[in-house]
Amino acid sequence: MTGENIMAASKPDILIILNDDMGFSDIGCYGGEVETPNLDGLATGGLRYSQFYNTARCSPSRASLMTGLHPHQTGIGILTYDTGPEGYAGDLNRRCVTMAEVLREAGYGTYLSGKWHVAKNLREPTDSWPMQRGFDKFYGTIIGAGSFFYPNTLTRGNENIEHEARDDAEFFYTDAISDQAAAFIHEHHAASPDKPLFQYVTYTAPHWPLHAHDEDIAKYKGRFDAGWDRLREQRLERLVRAGIIDQSWMLTDRDPSQPAWENAEQKEWLLRCMEVYAAQIDRMDQGIGRILQALEETGRFENTLIIFLSDNGACAEDIPEGVDEKSLVEDLMIARAQTRDGRPVRLGNDPTIMPGAEDTYQSYGVAWANMSNTPFRLYKHWIHEGGIATPLIAHWPKGIAERGALRHVPGQLPDLMATVLEVSGARYPETFKGNVILPLEGVSLVKSFAEDHQRTEPLFWEHEGNAAVRVGNWKLVRNYPGAWELYDMQSDRTEMRDLAADNSERVKDMLALYEAWAKRCGVIPREKILEEMKKLGGNAFWEKEEEQG
């Protein structure tokens, strides 16, 4: 369907599903072992994109997706923590508008179920909270991570409702997100059957801590016993067969910090970590099925544009034994000291404690994250492909004619705002509520709904000094504070052959493009950010992450 035909049709409902810290190749339709029949069904009935990108970190990705800008322009260049008067505020500013704000102006009902994570104040409503940024209804968390059984900052509208999780023995956050999203669809349809719907569903799964139901974990017993080395090879084989990855691209080496599977210790614990991680994604997919069912039951499914993606690559962050409890529980508010029934939560990756239960708080580690990002290098935080490559599924029966096709055109998060504007007919404002709004940075994906094509516009990234610019098939990328590297993404998307030394003029030209973008978008030099963090006194947990990259 052409853009003109789309505009002539009735306004579609729009459903964006974002999950948290999941690798490129975890779900079934992208080569993974995790059972995701509902996402696989959307892929079979729609499109899969092989070269769509996020920003490599939770908060910046959400800010960019929601606003159509680069995260630095929105005030969220790192996380929702203030990095000082000369750093990023860590708070969604008023130089941007959200999808919810522009779509509500265009007559949409607007709903959010799940993680927000673009507001600095975690307890008191501010103008960067969902209800103040265009959503008619909100259920979810303001914070970026936490217990799936008893999350901090659980909120309905502007009201804290943590007590609802505390008092409900069956509460599980992934299920709550899904069930509330389905309920919003039914409520909206009952009240306004002819009014278009925008829904933003933002799971925390599979972000640590590793929390899951026993029955979901049991499904994956033995699924990963072959170990990360063989499973990475098998994933690549499936990706190549699916046409997502070119057979000429080399599989990246195992992370040099990790042993061969045959030499790994504590295998029982390691396998359990991956089994719980898989169970987290499985539970999310089950909930997505209930959301799709709600669309079917209300007759809205055929004219709903559904987009699914992840906010960054797989997460290799370790939660060390003996991690500072005060830091996680009181300062960052991403953990609980006790379970709902008063048992102490055992914080840290202790191999004598099997993850999954409410009284545990662990992550799955570098080697499994390396597998999750097959076939790419590095992880969340970095701008090499492992940090920024995301699966992206687009499904819209009335607007996308092809079924089960692939699209290889590159894209990134600001493109989603441009896409939503085109399909909805909403107007991106120059001013909003008395504030001058920065120009839209994205390029609509609507053209790619009908056919694959080449992208002429460059793509840019920066996070924690890690940075890149991509022009056509060329990508200039830096692992801060290292040197710039150059890769031909057509022949070597796994970034195995650095061509910078042989292409000095190309490097110079691309670096000039990057520097002009960084200046225009307010990217603060990493050295200056680190200075401001030191002035604030730092934080033991995040300082460790800084040391890791």
Side-chain angles (χ1 to χ4, degrees), residues 33 47 58 139 170 221 261 270 273 283 290 314 325 327 357 380 388 409 474 536 541:
E33 301 81 12
L47 304 173
C58 313
Y139 172 89
E170 301 300 317
K221 187 68 176 174
W261 175 253
L270 288 169
C273 286
R283 195 76 174 196
R290 297 195 294 278
E325 179 177 310
S327 171
K380 172 183 177 180
I388 58 175
V409 57
W474 291 96
L536 291 174
F541 183 75

Side-chain angles (χ1 to χ4, degrees), residues 142 210 289 519 523:
I142 304 299
L210 295 170
K519 181 178 181 180
V523 176

Side-chain angles (χ1 to χ4, degrees), residues 22-34 36 224 231-240 244-245 251 274 277 281 310 312-314 364 368-376 385-386 389-391:
M22 189 186 77
F24 180 77
S25 62
D26 279 322
I27 60 177
C29 55
Y30 276 80
E33 301 81 12
V34 185
T36 51
F224 304 102
L231 291 172
R232 289 181 75 228
E233 294 171 353
Q234 291 174 355
R235 283 195 180 193
L236 179 58
E237 292 169 4
R238 290 192 290 270
L239 285 163
V240 169
I244 296 171
I245 294 295
L251 178 64
M274 189 61 203
Y277 174 87
I281 298 172
S310 180
N312 45 247
Y364 78 156
W368 291 126
N370 193 188
M371 186 182 82
S372 288
N373 284 335
T374 301
F376 301 128
E385 295 290 285
T390 174

Side-chain angles (χ1 to χ4, degrees), residues 10-31:
S10 61
K11 290 182 179 181
D13 292 334
I14 298 167
L15 168 61
I16 295 179
I17 305 172
L18 182 71
N19 82 338
D20 202 347
D21 283 17
M22 189 186 77
F24 180 77
S25 62
D26 279 322
I27 60 177
C29 55
Y30 276 80

